[in-house]
Amino acid sequence: MALAISMEAIDARARELGIDLDSVDVDSITLPPGEDFDILSDDEDLLQNEDIPELEMGFSNIIVVDNLPVVPPEKYEKLENVVRKIYSQIGVIKEGGLWMPTHPETKKTYGYCFIEYNTPQEAELAREKTNGYKLDKSHIFAVNMFDDFEKYMKVPDEWAPAEIKPYTPGENLLKWLTDDKARDQFVIRAGTFTEVYWNDARRAMPELVYQKQYWTDSYIQWSPLGTHLATVHRQGAQVWGGDDKFVRLMRFAHPQVKLIDFSPGEKYLITYSSQEPSNPRDTHRVLLNIFDVRTGKVMRDFKGSADDFTTGGNMGVSGVSWPIFRWGGGRDDKYFARLGKNVISVYETETFSLIEKKSLKVENVVDFSWSPTDPIISLFVPELGGGNQPARVSLVQIPGKEEIRQKNLFSVSDCKMYWQNNGEYLAVQVDRYTKTKKSIYTGFELFRIKERDIPIEVFELDNKNDKIIAFAWEPKGHRFAVIHGDGPKPDISFYTMRAVNNNVSRVSKLTTLKGKQANALFWSPAGRFIVLAGLKGFNGQLEFFNVDDLETMATGEHFMATDIMWDPTGRFLATAVTSVHEMENGFQIWSFNGKLIYKISKDHFYQFQWRPRPPSLLTPEKEEDISKNLKRYSKKYEQEDQDVSNQVGEQERKRRTQLQEEWLAWVAKWKQLHEEERSYRMELRGGEESDKEEEAEYKEIEAEELVDVTEEIVAFDLDQE
């Protein structure tokens, strides 16, 4: 590093050397080009003590908003406040950073304004969010970056063809669906490793696809259709995909992100973070970003205190419910909503703004949920005024916000809503007080969504005082199961919505299983089969039940199991013991009919997730035809299974032969070594050879053993002695 020398130091050094600097012609001294020998001039010496000026960012933080109303002076302030309110929600406008020029004579505005933000990022986001914003029917904003005007001015007058870049194929994000063995994948996280496997049930073992250490800082998550695998880091989230190497597809910058959530159609990713307040009495500050998964752009962000996001949902971090935003309207990703105080705020993804610029006002609303397939919201409002105003469940059509069905409920203690995955039925579990208010009983309101006028059927158990432990709809079907009872071994009942009496559809009971060690229900994604599971206090009891034949196929146990997950096809079931328990960590894979296929032990086991599949391209009619003619289709796969079985048998025979050969080689090696050391052993034994058993001498030696000693104590008379 060069040493900077001041002029005062040079004067002092010259005096020491006896040199008179006044006699030196400084102008005659020339330095090499670009070289100053680190000698500071007086001006540079002064500049070192001054603050370095901030670099100008140009005009990249300024936007131009066109198509504003042209207003006279008396309406200028009102229009300015409206524009400021809209754009201050997106970022911080600099002081004096909103300017609407006016005509020098009429004093009317020109219909456009300039807005200056603190950062170019805020300006770019404002342009994306508000370009095309409808202030009213006559005024639709046209928003551009100020720098764009200079870019457009440089467009040449003569057209030149664009440069055609060579095509480079991207990653095949659906390659895993073309597996010739029709296997499914799953991902696990254990210790510091994240691993993706094929579930190879034929070989009764998993096949490793990809492994990476420190792949995520907290957890992993598949996207709903299985296209992406998301990882969470301190700097933000990332999504991965491709053939078998899982290349990074996109980064989403969000420092200290804690939670993520995909939209059902995988178009958007919501990220969440919270920041502790400097004042302990204040609540956490929350930031949510909604990213476009394909481009990585922030489509909208939401900021506020944790109190603004604590209504409804499952509690996540810092007391905030998660997911904060719930997606609806099927896989089109058209709408998302969140619960607020006396409102449900519904947004559309075309502009990421409130539908009709207003929230759906519902006094005292405490919960809502979307239909899985249609833009319909079910909402629950509890009783008000000490029971004078009844509770109610309403169905609201979006985007028109039209109430299409309502049911008033009386003496309500609590309410839960369960949608069937095809959106055909809605079950509302209602806990009611008895007349004395001393106890509670449970009933169900069953909505038939697809039928005319949405008829509602009231349904109660045979013993309505039974406690409801679990409820679950059959996927792709018309049945449901209920675990109920107050004893240590509750009952499980199955019902169907398809029973027809006098041309009227009514709920009908199929069967009740008495005294089962179960507290959770897990339907196969394909329907028909269900696992009755006993978790926590029941220590992982499993019963595989065929609802078509109403019979138990098998029972099993995975001691201390914490998680149970069907694969997306309904062929296999995974049970896992995660690091919630210190012991028995790992997972087991079962067939749909309850046969244990294989089990894997993993220390510090955190996660197991099957890779989801996109919906089948087959029509329901085609699927039903395949099911009816399954024997014809299965011949091919039975032969493949036999071939694999033979191959596995041959591999096992070769493995055992190899083990035997290794053992014989080991024995021969040590026999040879033993023979080589024979002379040395004889030398140590004085020339005697004792290797051969027949040459050994045997001597019988008799030995006496003292078993016990008894002491006799004789008393003497001391005087006589």
Side-chain angles (χ1 to χ4, degrees):
M1 180 178 177
L3 179 65
I5 304 175
S6 65
M7 292 301 297
E8 289 83 356
I10 293 175
D11 288 337
R13 182 58 176 164
R15 286 194 296 271
E16 291 177 4
L17 298 175
I19 299 174
D20 184 8
L21 290 179
D22 294 334
S23 62
V24 177
D25 185 3
V26 179
D27 294 334
S28 64
I29 301 175
T30 58
L31 299 177
E35 181 61 80
D36 57 9
F37 290 102
D38 293 313
I39 299 175
L40 297 178
S41 68
D42 293 337
D43 292 337
E44 289 173 332
D45 201 12
L46 292 173
L47 285 173
Q48 277 196 330
N49 298 323
E50 295 180 1
D51 293 332
I52 300 175
E54 295 184 4
L55 296 175
E56 291 290 336
M57 64 180 69
F59 301 104
S60 59
N61 61 329
I62 300 175
I63 61 172
V64 182
V65 183
D66 207 351
N67 292 340
L68 293 175
V70 178
V71 299
E74 56 270 18
K75 293 185 178 181
Y76 181 95
E77 184 177 354
K78 182 178 180 180
L79 177 61
E80 183 184 38
N81 290 336
V82 170
V83 174
R84 187 180 297 276
K85 182 178 180 180
I86 294 171
Y87 284 92
S88 60
Q89 295 177 1
I90 300 173
V92 179
I93 300 175
K94 282 191 174 183
E95 185 176 353
L98 196 161
W99 178 49
M100 284 192 298
T102 57
H103 193 279
E105 296 179 0
T106 63
K107 303 300 180 183
K108 288 185 177 182
T109 61
Y110 282 109
Y112 62 85
C113 73
F114 301 90
I115 299 176
E116 184 178 6
Y117 284 99
N118 276 337
T119 65
Q121 290 78 12
E122 291 176 325
E124 180 65 31
L125 182 62
R127 184 191 65 80
E128 292 180 7
K129 300 298 184 194
T130 61
N131 187 36
Y133 178 84
K134 295 180 180 179
L135 186 65
D136 53 44
K137 293 182 179 180
S138 304
H139 299 90
I140 302 174
F141 289 178
V143 185
N144 291 282
M145 304 298 295
F146 190 87
D147 280 351
D148 288 346
F149 287 91
E150 182 180 359
K151 180 178 67 175
Y152 298 144
M153 293 297 292
K154 293 180 179 179
V155 175
D157 295 334
E158 295 184 5
W159 176 81
E163 180 184 356
I164 300 177
K165 297 181 180 179
Y167 170 73
T168 54
E171 292 293 327
N172 184 355
L173 302 182
L174 301 178
K175 176 71 179 299
W176 60 281
L177 292 171
T178 63
D179 179 55
D180 56 358
K181 300 177 184 176
R183 298 173 297 180
D184 279 292
Q185 288 186 352
F186 60 84
V187 62
I188 65 171
R189 192 165 62 87
T192 59
F193 285 91
T194 301
E195 300 166 337
V196 181
Y197 289 92
W198 288 111
N199 174 38
D200 201 334
R202 287 174 171 172
R203 298 173 58 214
M205 61 185 296
E207 179 183 323
L208 184 64
V209 176
Y210 187 75
Q211 180 189 64
K212 190 171 183 178
Q213 191 175 17
Y214 304 113
W215 200 359
T216 180
D217 290 344
S218 57
Y219 68 100
I220 49 178
Q221 182 174 322
W222 291 109
S223 58
L225 304 181
T227 308
H228 307 105
L229 180 64
T231 56
V232 181
H233 310 267
R234 289 188 300 273
Q235 301 88 347
Q238 301 182 88
V239 292
W240 310 74
D243 293 349
D244 297 328
K245 297 181 180 179
F246 283 89
V247 299
R248 180 171 48 235
L249 302 175
M250 187 57 62
R251 288 188 177 101
F252 307 97
H254 187 154
Q256 304 303 320
V257 62
K258 295 181 180 178
L259 298 170
I260 61 173
D261 185 44
F262 282 95
S263 62
E266 302 184 338
K267 294 180 182 177
Y268 306 105
L269 176 70
I270 300 178
T271 59
Y272 164 91
S273 67
S274 63
Q275 183 178 2
E276 293 187 4
S278 54
N279 187 346
R281 296 182 179 180
D282 295 336
T283 58
H284 287 69
R285 299 296 300 173
V286 168
L287 171 64
L288 293 113
N289 287 326
I290 303 180
F291 292 93
D292 184 297
V293 172
R294 187 177 62 85
T295 64
K297 289 185 178 180
V298 178
M299 307 308 295
R300 168 116 193 223
D301 63 1
F302 293 85
K303 302 175 183 177
S305 67
D307 292 340
D308 299 332
F309 301 98
T310 53
T311 310
N314 299 316
M315 300 311 290
V317 294
S318 305
V320 171
S321 59
W322 190 256
I324 291 174
F325 291 105
R326 307 178 198 178
W327 292 91
R331 300 189 185 278
D332 294 334
D333 295 347
K334 292 179 64 176
Y335 307 107
F336 62 98
R338 74 179 181 96
L339 188 64
K341 187 176 182 180
N342 300 322
V343 296
I344 299 175
S345 299
V346 185
Y347 302 83
E348 47 85 18
T349 54
E350 186 176 348
T351 62
F352 282 85
S353 58
L354 287 169
I355 294 178
E356 298 177 354
K357 304 179 185 178
K358 294 180 181 179
S359 294
L360 175 62
K361 293 185 178 180
V362 185
E363 191 69 24
N364 228 37
V365 61
V366 295
D367 194 16
F368 81 96
S369 60
W370 285 95
S371 162
T373 56
D374 302 298
I376 298 175
I377 286 177
S378 62
L379 60 89
F380 170 63
V381 178
E383 292 181 351
L384 297 175
N388 293 328
Q389 184 175 336
R392 77 175 192 272
V393 172
S394 298
L395 299 178
V396 179
Q397 185 82 45
I398 301 298
K401 302 178 183 177
E402 174 189 0
E403 187 176 72
I404 57 177
R405 197 68 166 93
Q406 177 183 320
K407 180 66 183 288
N408 289 334
L409 307 169
F410 298 90
S411 302
V412 176
S413 166
D414 193 14
C415 179
K416 296 184 180 71
M417 295 176 285
Y418 303 95
W419 281 94
Q420 189 251 10
N421 76 320
N422 285 344
E424 295 186 46
Y425 309 109
L426 170 67
V428 180
Q429 177 183 324
V430 184
D431 297 335
R432 289 184 169 93
Y433 294 108
T434 59
K435 291 183 179 179
T436 60
K437 301 284 186 179
K438 293 183 179 180
S439 60
I440 292 175
Y441 67 97
T442 302
F444 292 87
E445 307 285 335
L446 303 176
F447 292 69
R448 299 178 184 268
I449 304 297
K450 302 295 183 179
E451 296 183 18
R452 184 178 179 181
D453 297 329
I454 312 180
I456 304 173
E457 184 173 352
V458 179
F459 161 70
E460 292 180 348
L461 299 173
D462 295 339
N463 181 2
K464 67 179 183 181
N465 293 320
D466 274 0
K467 178 183 177 182
I468 304 298
I469 298 172
F471 176 98
W473 285 105
E474 176 188 24
K476 300 181 179 180
H478 307 276
R479 296 173 290 199
F480 61 88
V482 183
I483 303 180
H484 55 93
D486 297 314
K489 292 185 177 181
D491 299 337
I492 303 176
S493 297
F494 294 90
Y495 298 84
T496 178
M497 300 286 288
R498 276 289 181 88
V500 178
N501 297 319
N502 299 323
N503 295 324
V504 179
S505 296
R506 293 190 62 82
V507 176
S508 176
K509 185 167 78 170
L510 299 174
T511 190
T512 294
L513 308 178
K514 296 288 187 178
K516 293 295 180 178
Q517 289 185 314
N519 52 18
L521 299 167
F522 298 93
W523 282 96
S524 162
R528 184 180 178 185
F529 306 112
I530 189 173
V531 171
L532 317 175
L535 304 178
K536 297 180 180 178
F538 289 126
N539 288 327
Q541 297 294 322
L542 305 172
E543 182 172 343
F544 295 80
F545 192 77
N546 184 335
V547 186
D548 280 0
D549 300 332
L550 298 178
E551 65 178 12
T552 298
M553 298 180 291
T555 58
E557 180 185 11
H558 188 173
F559 183 63
M560 300 171 65
T562 56
D563 299 278
I564 297 178
M565 299 141 290
W566 282 94
D567 83 329
T569 64
R571 296 176 296 173
F572 302 101
L573 180 87
T575 58
V577 179
T578 61
S579 58
V580 173
H581 299 297
E582 294 182 359
M583 301 173 60
E584 307 291 337
N585 280 198
F587 64 93
Q588 298 181 2
I589 302 297
W590 308 72
S591 67
F592 72 93
N593 56 358
K595 178 184 177 182
L596 179 60
I597 300 175
Y598 61 88
K599 54 184 178 181
I600 302 294
S601 297
K602 290 278 187 181
D603 292 333
H604 305 292
F605 187 64
Y606 301 118
Q607 274 186 277
F608 180 105
Q609 280 191 5
W610 290 104
R611 188 171 193 172
R613 283 177 175 263
S616 172
L617 299 177
L618 299 176
T619 62
E621 293 77 18
K622 184 63 176 176
E623 289 185 357
E624 186 175 353
D625 177 69
I626 293 174
S627 180
K628 288 180 179 178
N629 301 282
L630 192 59
K631 290 184 179 179
R632 184 179 66 188
Y633 293 102
S634 63
K635 289 181 180 179
K636 169 188 173 183
Y637 300 105
E638 288 174 356
Q639 183 60 45
E640 289 183 2
D641 289 343
Q642 185 62 43
D643 294 342
V644 171
S645 179
N646 294 338
Q647 182 182 359
V648 170
E650 180 65 19
Q651 290 175 349
E652 180 65 15
R653 188 189 66 80
K654 290 181 178 179
R655 187 184 70 85
R656 292 184 178 185
T657 301
Q658 181 181 356
L659 288 175
Q660 185 180 21
E661 291 175 352
E662 290 176 356
W663 165 252
L664 294 175
W666 184 86
V667 171
K669 170 187 172 183
W670 285 104
K671 280 186 176 181
Q672 180 182 355
L673 182 63
H674 185 76
E675 186 63 28
E676 292 174 353
E677 294 177 345
R678 182 169 175 271
S679 58
Y680 180 63
R681 290 196 305 275
M682 291 179 62
E683 181 182 348
L684 291 175
R685 293 169 181 156
E688 294 185 5
E689 183 177 2
S690 60
D691 288 350
K692 295 183 180 180
E693 189 174 324
E694 60 272 12
E695 297 179 2
E697 294 182 3
Y698 297 92
K699 293 182 181 180
E700 292 184 4
I701 300 176
E702 294 183 2
E704 295 182 358
E705 182 181 356
L706 184 63
V707 177
D708 193 8
V709 176
T710 303
E711 293 183 0
E712 183 176 353
I713 303 176
V714 181
F716 293 93
D717 190 341
L718 296 177
D719 295 337
Q720 294 178 356
E721 186 180 355

